[in-house]
Amino acid sequence: MKFKFLALLICITSIGFTQSKPLDTQKNAHINTIISLFKTKNTDQLAKLINYPLERTYPIPSIKSEADFKLRFSEVFDDTLVALITNSTLDQWEEIGWRGLMLDDGIIWIDSANGKIKAVNHQSELEKKKRAGVIAKSCV
């Protein structure tokens, strides 16, 4: 019984450690590009690095184009999120199989292959207010 428990513990431990392996140079380059563009708040270049549509929390509409992204940049990427991205290190980014690269347990996701942002799991105060307003309108 003790041997089975020990073998199970070793398997679980090895699975946990094999999940986080170092990122290759191309993936590091994708991350560094995103970080540097956020540092300069280069919305023109960032708009080209988004997988559209960029889904937002329902019932807020998705961001469907580069022009829409530029208009709504500060709505999605508030100072808190921009600071989190710009101050992040490569150690905070992790590749999760086919899902891509994530920052800090999935606050933002980047496609591993093309380096484009594919999901933002952060809701700014502005978005929270907008969402509440849309919900209030629909309930009237």
Side-chain angles (χ1 to χ4, degrees), residues 96-126:
I96 308 297
W98 59 269
R99 292 178 184 90
L101 304 164
M102 72 173 185
L103 171 63
D104 286 346
D105 297 325
I107 195 92
I108 187 169
W109 286 83
I110 298 174
D111 187 302
S112 298
N114 64 18
K116 291 186 174 187
I117 295 172
K118 63 185 212 170
V120 177
N121 296 315
H122 171 81
Q123 194 172 37
S124 67
E125 289 301 317
L126 186 59

Short mmCIF file of all heavy atoms in Angstrom, two decimals, residues 96-126:
data_model
loop_
_atom_site.label_atom_id
_atom_site.label_comp_id
_atom_site.label_asym_id
_atom_site.label_seq_id
_atom_site.Cartn_x
_atom_site.Cartn_y
_atom_site.Cartn_z
N ILE A 96 0.81 26.89 -22.05
CA ILE A 96 -0.14 25.87 -21.63
C ILE A 96 -0.62 25.12 -22.89
O ILE A 96 -1.70 25.37 -23.42
CB ILE A 96 -1.35 26.48 -20.87
CG1 ILE A 96 -0.88 27.39 -19.74
CG2 ILE A 96 -2.27 25.39 -20.36
CD1 ILE A 96 -0.09 26.69 -18.65
N GLY A 97 0.22 24.24 -23.38
CA GLY A 97 -0.12 23.40 -24.53
C GLY A 97 -0.66 24.19 -25.70
O GLY A 97 -0.13 25.24 -26.06
N TRP A 98 -1.74 23.69 -26.32
CA TRP A 98 -2.34 24.31 -27.50
C TRP A 98 -3.02 25.63 -27.17
O TRP A 98 -3.34 26.41 -28.05
CB TRP A 98 -3.33 23.36 -28.16
CG TRP A 98 -4.43 22.93 -27.25
CD1 TRP A 98 -4.44 21.83 -26.45
CD2 TRP A 98 -5.66 23.61 -27.01
NE1 TRP A 98 -5.61 21.78 -25.72
CE2 TRP A 98 -6.38 22.87 -26.05
CE3 TRP A 98 -6.25 24.77 -27.50
CZ2 TRP A 98 -7.64 23.24 -25.58
CZ3 TRP A 98 -7.50 25.14 -27.03
CH2 TRP A 98 -8.18 24.37 -26.08
N ARG A 99 -3.25 25.91 -25.89
CA ARG A 99 -3.97 27.13 -25.51
C ARG A 99 -3.12 28.38 -25.72
O ARG A 99 -3.64 29.45 -25.91
CB ARG A 99 -4.41 27.03 -24.06
CG ARG A 99 -5.48 26.01 -23.84
CD ARG A 99 -5.86 25.92 -22.37
NE ARG A 99 -6.81 24.87 -22.16
CZ ARG A 99 -6.50 23.62 -21.87
NH1 ARG A 99 -5.23 23.27 -21.78
NH2 ARG A 99 -7.43 22.72 -21.68
N GLY A 100 -1.82 28.25 -25.62
CA GLY A 100 -0.94 29.38 -25.85
C GLY A 100 -0.15 29.79 -24.62
O GLY A 100 0.05 29.01 -23.70
N LEU A 101 0.25 31.05 -24.62
CA LEU A 101 1.07 31.62 -23.55
C LEU A 101 0.16 32.47 -22.65
O LEU A 101 -0.61 33.28 -23.15
CB LEU A 101 2.16 32.51 -24.13
CG LEU A 101 3.10 31.85 -25.14
CD1 LEU A 101 3.86 32.89 -25.92
CD2 LEU A 101 4.04 30.91 -24.43
N MET A 102 0.30 32.28 -21.36
CA MET A 102 -0.53 33.06 -20.45
C MET A 102 0.33 33.82 -19.45
O MET A 102 1.41 33.39 -19.09
CB MET A 102 -1.52 32.18 -19.71
CG MET A 102 -0.92 31.29 -18.66
SD MET A 102 -2.18 30.45 -17.71
CE MET A 102 -1.16 29.61 -16.49
N LEU A 103 -0.19 34.94 -19.04
CA LEU A 103 0.46 35.75 -18.00
C LEU A 103 -0.31 35.56 -16.71
O LEU A 103 -1.54 35.70 -16.68
CB LEU A 103 0.44 37.23 -18.40
CG LEU A 103 0.87 38.24 -17.34
CD1 LEU A 103 2.33 38.03 -16.93
CD2 LEU A 103 0.68 39.66 -17.84
N ASP A 104 0.41 35.27 -15.64
CA ASP A 104 -0.18 35.18 -14.30
C ASP A 104 -1.52 34.47 -14.26
O ASP A 104 -2.57 35.07 -14.01
CB ASP A 104 -0.33 36.58 -13.70
CG ASP A 104 1.00 37.17 -13.27
OD1 ASP A 104 1.99 36.43 -13.18
OD2 ASP A 104 1.04 38.38 -13.02
N ASP A 105 -1.50 33.19 -14.49
CA ASP A 105 -2.70 32.35 -14.40
C ASP A 105 -3.82 32.76 -15.35
O ASP A 105 -4.99 32.59 -15.05
CB ASP A 105 -3.21 32.28 -12.96
CG ASP A 105 -2.21 31.64 -12.01
OD1 ASP A 105 -1.50 30.71 -12.45
OD2 ASP A 105 -2.12 32.06 -10.85
N GLY A 106 -3.49 33.37 -16.48
CA GLY A 106 -4.47 33.59 -17.52
C GLY A 106 -5.09 34.97 -17.61
O GLY A 106 -6.13 35.13 -18.23
N ILE A 107 -4.46 35.98 -17.04
CA ILE A 107 -5.01 37.34 -17.14
C ILE A 107 -4.99 37.81 -18.59
O ILE A 107 -5.86 38.56 -19.02
CB ILE A 107 -4.27 38.32 -16.20
CG1 ILE A 107 -5.05 39.61 -16.02
CG2 ILE A 107 -2.89 38.65 -16.68
CD1 ILE A 107 -5.97 39.59 -14.86
N ILE A 108 -3.98 37.36 -19.34
CA ILE A 108 -3.89 37.65 -20.77
C ILE A 108 -3.29 36.42 -21.46
O ILE A 108 -2.45 35.74 -20.88
CB ILE A 108 -3.05 38.93 -21.04
CG1 ILE A 108 -3.09 39.32 -22.50
CG2 ILE A 108 -1.64 38.78 -20.57
CD1 ILE A 108 -2.50 40.69 -22.78
N TRP A 109 -3.79 36.14 -22.67
CA TRP A 109 -3.32 34.98 -23.44
C TRP A 109 -2.79 35.44 -24.79
O TRP A 109 -3.37 36.30 -25.43
CB TRP A 109 -4.47 34.01 -23.68
CG TRP A 109 -4.85 33.24 -22.46
CD1 TRP A 109 -5.69 33.66 -21.46
CD2 TRP A 109 -4.42 31.93 -22.09
NE1 TRP A 109 -5.81 32.69 -20.51
CE2 TRP A 109 -5.03 31.61 -20.86
CE3 TRP A 109 -3.57 31.01 -22.68
CZ2 TRP A 109 -4.83 30.40 -20.22
CZ3 TRP A 109 -3.36 29.79 -22.03
CH2 TRP A 109 -3.99 29.49 -20.82
N ILE A 110 -1.68 34.81 -25.19
CA ILE A 110 -1.06 35.07 -26.49
C ILE A 110 -0.99 33.75 -27.25
O ILE A 110 -0.65 32.71 -26.68
CB ILE A 110 0.37 35.64 -26.32
CG1 ILE A 110 0.34 36.96 -25.57
CG2 ILE A 110 1.06 35.79 -27.65
CD1 ILE A 110 1.72 37.50 -25.25
N ASP A 111 -1.30 33.79 -28.53
CA ASP A 111 -1.17 32.62 -29.39
C ASP A 111 0.32 32.29 -29.52
O ASP A 111 1.11 33.15 -29.89
CB ASP A 111 -1.79 32.93 -30.76
CG ASP A 111 -1.85 31.71 -31.64
OD1 ASP A 111 -0.78 31.11 -31.90
OD2 ASP A 111 -2.95 31.37 -32.09
N SER A 112 0.68 31.07 -29.21
CA SER A 112 2.10 30.67 -29.25
C SER A 112 2.71 30.77 -30.64
O SER A 112 3.88 31.09 -30.78
CB SER A 112 2.26 29.22 -28.76
OG SER A 112 1.84 29.07 -27.45
N ALA A 113 1.93 30.47 -31.65
CA ALA A 113 2.47 30.41 -33.01
C ALA A 113 2.69 31.78 -33.63
O ALA A 113 3.74 32.03 -34.22
CB ALA A 113 1.53 29.59 -33.90
N ASN A 114 1.70 32.68 -33.50
CA ASN A 114 1.82 33.97 -34.20
C ASN A 114 2.06 35.17 -33.29
O ASN A 114 2.23 36.28 -33.76
CB ASN A 114 0.60 34.21 -35.10
CG ASN A 114 -0.69 34.34 -34.31
OD1 ASN A 114 -0.69 34.58 -33.11
ND2 ASN A 114 -1.80 34.18 -35.00
N GLY A 115 2.05 34.96 -31.98
CA GLY A 115 2.36 36.04 -31.05
C GLY A 115 1.25 37.07 -30.88
O GLY A 115 1.50 38.16 -30.36
N LYS A 116 0.04 36.73 -31.30
CA LYS A 116 -1.08 37.67 -31.18
C LYS A 116 -1.86 37.44 -29.88
O LYS A 116 -2.01 36.30 -29.44
CB LYS A 116 -2.03 37.54 -32.37
CG LYS A 116 -1.43 38.02 -33.67
CD LYS A 116 -2.47 37.99 -34.77
CE LYS A 116 -1.91 38.62 -36.04
NZ LYS A 116 -2.96 38.74 -37.06
N ILE A 117 -2.35 38.54 -29.31
CA ILE A 117 -3.18 38.45 -28.11
C ILE A 117 -4.52 37.84 -28.51
O ILE A 117 -5.17 38.32 -29.43
CB ILE A 117 -3.39 39.84 -27.49
CG1 ILE A 117 -2.04 40.41 -27.00
CG2 ILE A 117 -4.40 39.78 -26.35
CD1 ILE A 117 -2.11 41.85 -26.55
N LYS A 118 -4.90 36.78 -27.82
CA LYS A 118 -6.15 36.12 -28.19
C LYS A 118 -7.21 36.19 -27.10
O LYS A 118 -8.38 35.93 -27.38
CB LYS A 118 -5.90 34.68 -28.62
CG LYS A 118 -5.33 33.77 -27.56
CD LYS A 118 -5.03 32.43 -28.18
CE LYS A 118 -5.20 31.31 -27.20
NZ LYS A 118 -5.15 30.01 -27.86
N ALA A 119 -6.83 36.57 -25.89
CA ALA A 119 -7.83 36.72 -24.83
C ALA A 119 -7.29 37.64 -23.74
O ALA A 119 -6.10 37.65 -23.44
CB ALA A 119 -8.18 35.37 -24.23
N VAL A 120 -8.20 38.41 -23.18
CA VAL A 120 -7.89 39.27 -22.04
C VAL A 120 -8.94 38.98 -20.98
O VAL A 120 -10.12 39.26 -21.16
CB VAL A 120 -7.91 40.77 -22.42
CG1 VAL A 120 -7.64 41.64 -21.20
CG2 VAL A 120 -6.90 41.06 -23.51
N ASN A 121 -8.52 38.38 -19.88
CA ASN A 121 -9.43 38.00 -18.81
C ASN A 121 -9.34 38.99 -17.65
O ASN A 121 -9.15 38.61 -16.50
CB ASN A 121 -9.13 36.58 -18.33
CG ASN A 121 -9.37 35.57 -19.42
OD1 ASN A 121 -10.38 35.63 -20.11
ND2 ASN A 121 -8.45 34.66 -19.60
N HIS A 122 -9.45 40.23 -17.99
CA HIS A 122 -9.41 41.33 -17.03
C HIS A 122 -10.55 42.26 -17.40
O HIS A 122 -10.81 42.49 -18.59
CB HIS A 122 -8.08 42.07 -17.12
CG HIS A 122 -8.02 43.34 -16.34
ND1 HIS A 122 -7.77 43.35 -14.98
CD2 HIS A 122 -8.20 44.63 -16.71
CE1 HIS A 122 -7.78 44.62 -14.57
NE2 HIS A 122 -8.04 45.40 -15.59
N GLN A 123 -11.21 42.76 -16.39
CA GLN A 123 -12.28 43.72 -16.66
C GLN A 123 -11.96 44.99 -15.88
O GLN A 123 -11.90 44.99 -14.65
CB GLN A 123 -13.63 43.14 -16.24
CG GLN A 123 -14.78 43.91 -16.79
CD GLN A 123 -16.11 43.22 -16.52
OE1 GLN A 123 -16.29 42.64 -15.47
NE2 GLN A 123 -17.02 43.31 -17.47
N SER A 124 -11.76 46.07 -16.63
CA SER A 124 -11.45 47.36 -16.01
C SER A 124 -12.70 47.92 -15.33
O SER A 124 -13.82 47.45 -15.58
CB SER A 124 -10.96 48.34 -17.08
OG SER A 124 -12.03 48.65 -17.97
N GLU A 125 -12.50 48.92 -14.51
CA GLU A 125 -13.64 49.58 -13.86
C GLU A 125 -14.58 50.17 -14.90
O GLU A 125 -15.80 50.13 -14.75
CB GLU A 125 -13.16 50.65 -12.88
CG GLU A 125 -12.49 50.10 -11.63
CD GLU A 125 -13.38 49.17 -10.83
OE1 GLU A 125 -14.59 49.48 -10.65
OE2 GLU A 125 -12.89 48.11 -10.40
N LEU A 126 -14.02 50.73 -15.96
CA LEU A 126 -14.82 51.31 -17.03
C LEU A 126 -15.70 50.24 -17.69
O LEU A 126 -16.89 50.46 -17.94
CB LEU A 126 -13.91 51.98 -18.06
CG LEU A 126 -14.57 52.75 -19.19
CD1 LEU A 126 -15.45 53.88 -18.64
CD2 LEU A 126 -13.51 53.32 -20.12
#
